[in-house]
């Protein structure tokens, strides 16, 4: 019997796999599996990665000098086309990698087809995402520093401004507004550290892993890593194409930043509400109501609070995306990109807008803050501490002051408004100097230790925070 005739190939597939298939991909499947509508955002990283790969292949003798020259010339043209907006992206070519490779081949011929030697889209895409994300982390680091600087500036200006500190959203003890702002600066300082730490693990080179098992060509991965600014190469080829833990770490750090900003935003919503009136947000951060003429709604902080939800969602999406994938690469991983892109965009916008808000959009009503701190017996702890210094065991002092508070409450006055003789009814240890500790200034001024709210400590904490900022 004669050998069967080889089947005629289907229409050429973008990745060059048409030889294996007998019918073209269905239109809906094409749209379903294509990623170019969003992953074209990786184009610059893709070109940089391809150029480093081509230069390495030329250096090890896999490509000729002429091939490399053609590839460099073609990539320069493609860069220009993308920058000019004249590059034609096609869903028929599935993703950013195949779009660029096909255009390169159209521009320079066979050298374009040789570029993919010793590599796969699996190590290519992992490289692209890492390169791209590294750049975004660096930009976000600058934005984080700018917001921290704005918080420090405002904190310094309000090192003496007294406000109530809250627990359970009830007036607890007086603090300074500067101290309160520096709490957020401290959170964002840790967020900056987390991003820098994450960057170290992002900055490893997958290229050379090829599809999963490495390549039989002589490659120089260290050279590619150096050229692309990676600190090191990914050490295991399977892991290099399979894991996206670096992206998950980034999402986690981003979600935490959004959570910190959401808490701050929530406070701005409360503080700017007429009930509190601690601050007034500039009009450009607020909107009116279409029906209630008196309203000035704090839309920006509310959206910061709301957008934290979507970034947290992206973290969860990537965790779930990863959790049941057998090694190594699976197409599931294509779904990592939109959450990542949206996280970067949301975070960049949020940081920019919050920096503007803190730097120029918050008018503080120090009198309202002070008045609120005078209500709610905010200095009750100071009276108890005073009695302890005069010899009372703390629990007894606590009990005595609790009775004094109830007495003042019935009279409808603050502790500071009770005469010495009246206060003495609750403890014989009350002396003529007791009112010094019942004032707001006395209270905050006495918390004079590292980490405390005393104005002098707030000023030195602000100075230390400023010194810790990276160079602008
Ligand atoms: N667009 C793909 C992604 O984002 C590129 C890798 C495709 N590799 C493959 N074997 N289908 O992950």
């Amino acid at each position: 019997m004669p050998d069967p005739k080889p089947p005629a190939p289907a229409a050429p597939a973008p990745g060059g796999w048409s030889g294996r298939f007998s019918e073209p991909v269905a239109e809906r499947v094409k749209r379903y599996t294509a990623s170019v509508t969003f992953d074209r955002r990786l184009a610059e990283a893709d070109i940089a990665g391809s150029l480093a790969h081509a230069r390495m292949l030329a250096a090890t003798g896999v490509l000729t000098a002429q091939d490399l020259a053609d590839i460099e010339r073609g990539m320069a043209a493609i860069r220009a086309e993308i920058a000019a907006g004249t590059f034609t992206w096609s869903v028929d070519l599935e993703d950013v990698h195949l779009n660029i490779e096909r255009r390169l081949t159209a521009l320079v011929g066979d050298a374009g087809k040789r570029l993919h030697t010793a590599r796969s889209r699996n190590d290519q895409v992992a490289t692209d995402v890492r390169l791209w994300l590294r750049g975004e982390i660096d930009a976000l680091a600058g934005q984080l520093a700018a917001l921290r600087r704005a918080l420090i500036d405002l904190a310094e200006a309000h090192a003496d401004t007294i406000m109530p500190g809250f627990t359970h959203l009830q007036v607890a003890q007086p603090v300074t507004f500067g101290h309160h702002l520096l709490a957020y600066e401290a959170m964002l300082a840790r967020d900056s550290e987390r991003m820098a730490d994450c960057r170290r693990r992002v900055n490893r080179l997958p290229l050379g892993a090829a599809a999963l098992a490495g390549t039989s060509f002589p490659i120089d991965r260290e050279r590619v890593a150096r050229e692309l600014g990676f600190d090191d190469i990914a050490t295991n080829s399977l892991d290099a194409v399979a894991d996206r833990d670096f992206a998950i770490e980034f999402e986690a750090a981003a979600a935490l930043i959004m959570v910190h900003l959401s808490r701050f935003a929530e406070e701005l919503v409360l503080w700017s509400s007429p009930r509190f009136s601690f601050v007034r947000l500039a009009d450009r951060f607020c909107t009116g109501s279409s029906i209630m003429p008196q309203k000035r709604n704090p839309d920006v902080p509310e959206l910061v609070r709301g957008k934290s939800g979507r970034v947290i969602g992206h973290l969860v999406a990537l965790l779930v995306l990863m959790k049941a994938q057998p090694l190594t690469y699976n197409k599931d991983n294509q779904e990592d990109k939109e959450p990542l892109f949206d996280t970067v965009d949301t975070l960049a916008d949020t940081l920019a807008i919050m920096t503007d808000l803190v730097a120029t959009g918050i008018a503080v009503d120090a009198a309202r803050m002070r008045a609120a701190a005078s209500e709610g017996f905010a200095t009750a702890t100071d009276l108890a501490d005073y009695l302890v210094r005069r010899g009372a065991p703390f629990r007894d002092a606590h009990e005595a002051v609790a009775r004094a508070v109830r007495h003042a409450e019935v009279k409808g006055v603050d502790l500071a408004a009770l005469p010495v003789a009246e206060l003495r009814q609750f403890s014989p240890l009350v002396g003529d100097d007791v009112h010094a500790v019942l004032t707001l200034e006395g209270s905050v001024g006495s918390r004079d230790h590292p980490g405390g709210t005393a104005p002098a400590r707030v000023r030195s904490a602000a100075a230390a925070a400023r010194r810790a900022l990276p160079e602008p």
Side-chain angles (χ1 to χ4, degrees):
M1 216 169 94
D3 284 346
K5 268 212 351 236
W17 55 72
S18 49
R20 174 76 178 76
F21 289 78
S22 59
E23 60 174 1
V25 172
E27 207 44 52
R28 194 194 301 277
V29 172
K30 197 187 287 171
R31 267 190 288 114
Y32 193 72
T33 55
S35 54
V36 68
T37 49
F38 50 86
D39 71 9
R40 47 194 271 197
R41 188 163 172 171
L42 298 175
E44 181 45 44
D46 195 66
I47 292 171
S50 288
L51 286 172
H53 180 67
R55 287 178 189 131
M56 179 275 289
L57 291 181
T60 60
V62 177
L63 292 183
T64 64
Q66 185 56 54
D67 286 332
L68 175 59
D70 289 346
I71 289 169
E72 287 181 330
R73 176 169 52 84
M75 286 301 195
I78 290 171
R79 262 189 180 137
E81 289 175 6
I82 293 173
T86 56
F87 190 95
T88 315
W89 298 101
S90 163
V91 271
D92 289 336
L93 298 174
E94 198 181 320
D95 58 21
V96 60
H97 322 293
L98 296 176
N99 268 266
I100 289 176
E101 190 187 318
R102 181 58 66 88
R103 179 69 185 140
L104 181 68
T105 302
L107 287 169
V108 306
D110 280 356
K113 297 190 203 161
R114 292 204 180 95
L115 170 63
H116 212 51
T117 312
R119 129 182 133 167
S120 149
R121 277 188 299 155
N122 296 353
D123 59 344
Q124 186 177 358
V125 70
T127 302
D128 290 3
V129 174
R130 285 170 182 265
L131 264 184
W132 169 83
L133 186 55
R134 183 184 72 192
E136 298 298 336
I137 288 175
D138 291 344
L140 289 169
Q143 288 197 282
L144 273 170
L147 176 52
R148 287 166 59 194
R149 190 168 298 114
L151 283 167
I152 295 167
D153 289 345
L154 194 60
E156 263 172 348
H158 291 283
D160 298 286
T161 303
I162 289 174
M163 70 179 284
F166 296 86
T167 60
H168 312 274
L169 199 56
Q170 297 176 35
V171 171
Q173 291 174 352
V175 296
T176 60
F177 187 47
H179 195 52
H180 195 110
L181 291 168
L182 288 181
Y184 284 106
E185 198 285 327
M187 296 175 220
L188 294 175
R190 291 193 298 277
D191 288 327
S192 301
E193 283 177 23
R194 262 184 287 274
M195 278 292 174
D197 189 52
C198 167
R199 187 193 193 278
R200 295 192 303 117
R201 281 177 294 279
V202 167
N203 205 27
R204 304 276 161 81
L205 174 77
L207 218 55
L212 74 163
T215 174
S216 57
F217 290 95
I219 55 170
D220 181 353
R221 300 186 65 205
E222 303 288 351
R223 184 200 150 104
V224 178
R226 262 196 316 278
E227 173 163 347
L228 293 173
F230 283 104
D231 297 327
D232 208 344
I233 60 171
T235 51
N236 180 292
S237 70
L238 306 177
D239 175 47
V241 296
D243 209 349
R244 295 290 182 269
D245 59 354
F246 68 93
I248 294 174
E249 274 190 55
F250 170 78
E251 288 287 357
L256 208 38
I257 294 172
M258 288 300 294
V259 166
H260 288 152
L261 296 181
S262 177
R263 296 187 74 177
F264 186 37
E266 165 67 7
E267 298 209 300
L268 291 173
V269 170
L270 288 172
W271 295 342
S272 64
S273 76
R275 285 297 156 118
F276 278 77
S277 292
F278 286 2
V279 301
R280 187 177 170 88
L281 305 181
D283 282 348
R284 65 184 180 284
F285 298 102
C286 301
T287 62
S289 156
S290 56
I291 175 165
M292 296 166 284
Q294 84 281 16
K295 299 272 276 193
R296 278 176 88 253
N297 296 329
D299 282 30
V300 164
E302 286 174 22
L303 272 174
V304 170
R305 203 172 57 188
K307 283 174 190 287
S308 66
R310 69 198 264 169
V311 174
I312 293 166
H314 294 330
L315 165 62
V316 175
L318 289 206
L319 285 166
V320 177
L321 181 69
M322 205 79 256
K323 80 173 197 46
Q325 286 192 51
L327 296 191
T328 55
Y329 176 86
N330 302 276
K331 187 79 166 185
D332 312 42
N333 285 334
Q334 184 163 287
E335 289 289 311
D336 66 352
K337 286 168 203 62
E338 286 163 294
L340 268 178
F341 294 162
D342 187 67
T343 295
V344 164
D345 292 341
T346 304
L347 200 49
D349 281 350
T350 304
L351 287 169
I353 217 160
M354 288 299 274
T355 302
D356 189 22
L357 179 63
V358 172
T360 64
I362 299 179
V364 175
D365 190 335
R368 286 282 306 195
M369 285 186 175
R370 191 188 168 83
S374 320
E375 295 158 8
F377 309 102
T379 55
T381 315
D382 297 272
L383 179 56
D385 288 351
Y386 167 89
L387 296 177
V388 168
R389 279 194 297 276
R390 299 190 139 226
F394 183 78
R395 284 295 161 214
D396 293 347
H398 184 285
E399 172 64 22
V401 175
R403 284 187 288 112
V405 165
R406 202 159 63 195
H407 174 76
E409 205 169 30
V410 169
K411 282 188 76 173
V413 298
D414 191 58
L415 281 178
L418 295 177
V420 174
E422 238 171 284
L423 283 167
R424 199 170 284 141
Q425 292 168 15
F426 302 96
S427 167
L429 295 172
V430 168
D432 291 339
D433 58 351
V434 69
H435 282 101
V437 304
L438 293 177
T439 65
L440 297 173
E441 277 73 16
S443 174
V444 296
S446 68
R447 283 158 171 80
D448 187 16
H449 53 76
T453 193
R457 295 295 179 165
V458 172
R459 269 184 265 277
S460 57
R466 198 183 293 285
R467 281 194 300 276
L469 286 176
E471 295 291 322

